[in-house]
């Protein structure tokens, strides 16, 4: 027997086995590397979500509830974790706060940007209030829960334009019943997200960890979307920025995932608002493209007196299921000096394509 041939054949078979094992291992590594890399680095887009169906009938959340002042509701935000609603309105005339030498008129309050903030339970009962002097007009606010503590997000550092005060940057502060804050109060954390911007108002998308700011820059209104935690660290890189489409009287906004919802309209009796129908519209903008994908006339609660649309927010009835959200919008009703606040909600989310078919 030729042992050299046997050794040669054994060596060849051994080399072949080792080569096959290396090739197999290489293929496995090549197959696994993209998966592990994508899992380690790729993050799901925060701008992905279903879209609220505005064609259905909206349901009542609260109806005609008094706020701390008797002025018109300006906007509201819902603390889903703690079951609270926060509203803002221009301070009523005739009030004299500590440090003021005399009662102040409503016109002066509006010019200065003085706001009354009311805390309600989910049934609309008042639980507390604050006064915010020199903050702005209150077109939209947001709220963020940290355990049982609510932090309000609003405009601040108001400047006067056309007889009203408007904020020029954003601020975050803890709700404290009975407190009176000014732009100089140490309790405020301030954020200037866009240099040179004014008319700054804000919404917090609690389900997706996003902050959306409406702002005016060079005469045009924009909506910038930012990651909330990064904003709190003073890192201001937007994940989206879209221009505001052509609208009527702007009254508030909310964002949820990939879509922005814009509220417009005016009270009964004003131009274009006929009692029983009104001119309240909600327009939907796709945040990834800036495209208007829906616009609906809102006929909810036609029997309300005055019926001026005011403010939007996202309600999540069960915070364990943030995908089951509701789009809320408000109305001011009744007459001065005892205006009332109502909130209604759309609770059906569908893929955009399903709403277009």
């Amino acid at each position: 027997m030729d042992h050299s041939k046997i050794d040669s054949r054994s060596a060849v078979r051994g080399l072949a086995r080792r080569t096959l094992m290396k090739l197999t291992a290489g293929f496995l590594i090549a197959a696994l590397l993209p998966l592990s890399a994508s899992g380690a680095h790729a993050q799901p887009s925060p701008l992905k979500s279903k879209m609220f169906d505005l064609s259905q009938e909206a349901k009542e959340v609260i109806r005609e509830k008094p706020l701390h002042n008797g002025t018109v509701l300006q906007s509201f935000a819902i603390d889903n974790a703690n079951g609270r609603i926060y509203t803002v309105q221009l301070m009523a005339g005739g009030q004299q706060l500590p440090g003021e030498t005399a009662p102040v008129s409503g016109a002066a309050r509006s010019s200065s940007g003085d706001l009354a903030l009311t805390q309600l339970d989910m049934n609309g009962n008042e639980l507390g209030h604050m006064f915010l002097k020199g903050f702005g007009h209150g077109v939209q606010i947001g709220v963020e829960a940290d355990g049982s503590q609510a932090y309000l997000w609003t405009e601040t550092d108001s400047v006067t334009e056309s007889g009203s005060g408007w904020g020029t940057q954003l601020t975050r502060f803890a709700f404290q019943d009975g407190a009176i804050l000014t732009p100089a109060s140490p309790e405020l954390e301030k954020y200037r997200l866009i240099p040179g911007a004014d008319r700054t108002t804000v919404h917090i998308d609690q389900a997706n960890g996003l902050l959306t700011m409406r702002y005016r820059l060079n005469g045009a209104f924009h909506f910038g979307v930012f990651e909330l935690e990064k904003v709190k660290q003073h890192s201001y890189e937007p994940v989206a920025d879209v221009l505001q489409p052509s609208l009527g009287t702007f009254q508030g906004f909310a964002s949820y995932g990939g879509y922005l919802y814009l509220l417009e309209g005016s009270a009964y009796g004003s131009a274009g608002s006929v009692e029983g129908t009104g001119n309240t519209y909600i327009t939907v903008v796709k945040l990834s493209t800036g495209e208007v994908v829906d616009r609906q006339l809102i006929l909810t609660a036609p029997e309300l007196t005055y019926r001026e649309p005011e403010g939007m927010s996202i309600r999540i009835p069960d915070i364990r299921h943030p995908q089951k959200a509701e789009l809320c919008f408000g109305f001011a009703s009744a007459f001065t000096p005892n205006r009332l606040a109502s909130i209604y909600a759309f609770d059906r989310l569908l893929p955009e394509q399903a709403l277009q078919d």
Side-chain angles (χ1 to χ4, degrees):
M1 181 178 291
D2 190 341
H3 292 288
S4 63
K5 290 183 178 180
I6 294 174
D7 292 342
S8 176
R9 287 196 295 269
S10 298
V12 169
R13 286 196 294 270
L15 177 62
R17 283 196 298 270
R18 289 195 297 273
T19 301
L20 180 61
M21 289 173 67
K22 288 180 179 179
L23 287 171
T24 302
F27 285 131
L28 285 172
I29 291 170
L32 290 173
L33 272 177
L35 292 175
S36 60
S38 63
H41 302 292
Q43 297 294 328
S45 170
L47 299 182
K48 289 187 177 180
S49 67
K50 294 179 179 179
M51 193 172 90
F52 285 103
D53 180 1
L54 308 180
S55 65
Q56 61 169 332
E57 185 175 348
K59 66 180 185 181
E60 180 183 300
V61 179
I62 61 171
R63 182 180 173 90
E64 296 206 295
K65 298 295 184 179
L67 305 179
H68 189 73
N69 278 187
T71 51
V72 166
L73 166 72
Q74 288 291 100
S75 65
F76 65 96
I78 298 175
D79 175 356
N80 294 290
N82 296 299
R84 298 289 184 265
I85 302 170
Y86 293 88
T87 69
V88 288
Q89 55 194 143
L90 295 176
M91 279 185 63
Q95 297 179 94
Q96 182 178 351
L97 300 184
E100 296 175 345
T101 58
V104 180
S105 70
R109 294 293 189 194
S110 177
S111 178
S112 297
D114 294 351
L115 303 174
L117 170 70
T118 307
Q119 183 194 59
L120 307 171
D121 65 20
M122 292 306 298
N123 294 315
N125 302 305
E126 181 175 345
L127 301 176
H129 76 281
M130 297 177 70
F131 288 117
L132 313 175
K133 294 180 61 179
F135 275 54
H137 201 69
V139 173
Q140 189 59 60
I141 64 170
V143 66
E144 173 197 1
D146 185 356
S148 61
Q149 179 64 63
Y151 288 88
L152 278 301
W153 286 82
T154 71
E155 64 199 289
T156 191
D157 288 35
S158 177
V159 297
T160 304
E161 182 182 328
S162 302
S164 295
W166 308 91
T168 56
Q169 60 178 317
L170 300 184
T171 187
R172 176 183 184 264
F173 57 90
F175 177 79
Q176 183 181 353
D177 186 22
I180 301 171
L181 301 181
T182 74
S185 296
E187 294 91 337
L188 302 188
E189 301 171 73
K190 294 185 181 181
Y191 306 86
R192 192 177 294 280
L193 278 65
I194 306 289
D198 63 6
R199 296 286 191 102
T200 52
T201 51
V202 61
H203 173 266
I204 302 297
D205 177 356
Q206 300 164 70
N208 296 287
L210 298 174
L211 178 152
T212 302
M213 180 178 75
R214 180 182 186 247
Y215 65 95
R216 186 177 65 179
L217 187 65
N218 299 324
F221 281 101
H222 302 245
F223 294 87
V225 184
F226 303 81
E227 294 181 59
L228 177 60
E229 289 304 315
K230 289 186 178 179
V231 170
K232 288 159 62 176
Q233 297 164 15
H234 297 277
S235 174
Y236 306 143
E237 184 68 29
V239 296
D241 193 288
V242 298
L243 281 168
Q244 178 177 298
S246 178
L247 300 172
T249 302
F250 187 82
Q251 298 286 15
F253 68 97
S255 65
Y256 179 76
Y259 296 93
L260 173 69
Y261 301 86
L262 310 176
L263 183 68
E264 65 178 281
S266 52
Y268 283 157
S270 59
S273 182
V274 178
E275 189 167 351
T277 303
N279 61 355
T280 297
Y281 284 86
I282 295 178
T283 297
V284 188
V285 176
K286 192 170 185 176
L287 283 167
S288 60
T289 63
E291 175 191 6
V292 172
V293 292
D294 195 15
R295 185 171 185 265
Q296 298 279 347
L297 176 66
I298 306 302
L299 299 173
T300 303
E303 70 285 355
L304 291 176
T305 57
Y306 186 72
R307 192 181 177 270
E308 183 176 15
E310 301 283 3
M312 304 189 80
S313 190
I314 300 296
R315 181 188 181 196
I316 303 172
D318 186 343
I319 60 172
R320 296 171 299 179
H321 302 287
Q323 76 281 7
K324 296 181 179 179
E326 300 176 0
L327 177 67
C328 297
F329 58 98
F331 285 114
S333 62
F335 302 98
T336 303
N338 298 304
R339 301 287 192 188
L340 301 173
S342 299
I343 297 174
Y344 297 86
F346 293 110
D347 64 357
R348 188 183 187 203
L349 279 158
L350 292 173
E352 182 182 327
Q353 187 58 43
L355 295 170
Q356 292 175 343
D357 292 341

